[in-house]
Amino acid sequence: MTEPLTIWTYDWVPGGQSGPRGYVRDLRLRWACEEAGLDYDVRSVSFHHRGAEHFARQPFGQVPFLEDGDIDVFESGACLLYLARKSETLMPRDPKGEAETLEWTIAALNSIEMVTVPWWFIGLSKVADNPLEGWVLQRLTHLEAVLAEREWLAAGRFTVADLLMADVLRVPKVKAAGEFPALRAYVERICARPAFKRAHDGQMAHFAQADPQS
């Protein structure tokens, strides 16, 4: 019998409107496993005290990272592609479908998330003019044109590329940026999948059980 995968995340993160709870990227791995029917356990590293063992597995002291027997993988994008190799649900096996899935998975990380994350961080400082605003809106405009003409990003069906792109786009500030109806409909459609709800609920419960008792 195959041993369950192990997804590592923090033991706790802040909640509330400004906290990252519900958006920590172990959710991406949980979601992928839920979609593919892969057995997994969740284990924790300390949010407040990141020790040598943590840095040995994730050299930047972040989460998630993934264990599969004697194989360790860090970075959520790399973990998702590793999981996609385990299940045709996440990535088709024909060369064209696989190539489309790979290019859109990387696009979610490099062309969208690489722009939206620093834009979001700059916005936290309440600057009058965010210097990345135009860049973000340009990227989202290009993506809107794509999503206005197709239901899925790759291979004519749901893949890990949709999972990752929707997770990048569902961040409230990103989702609210500009007037992009196709983009918002896409996020709502992908995040309505039962596997997303199970993954999201699982993460919220994981962090809630470590909340200080009042």
Side-chain angles (χ1 to χ4, degrees), residues 128-150:
D129 296 302
N130 190 320
L132 300 184
E133 184 83 12
W135 194 17
V136 166
L137 293 178
Q138 180 193 62
R139 290 289 170 90
L140 296 180
T141 297
H142 290 310
L143 185 57
E144 171 77 6
V146 172
L147 294 174
E149 296 184 351
R150 65 177 79 171

Side-chain angles (χ1 to χ4, degrees), residues 155-169:
R157 66 171 178 85
F158 175 84
T159 67
V160 71
D162 295 301
L163 183 159
L164 181 55
M165 186 68 81
D167 196 58
V168 172
L169 295 173

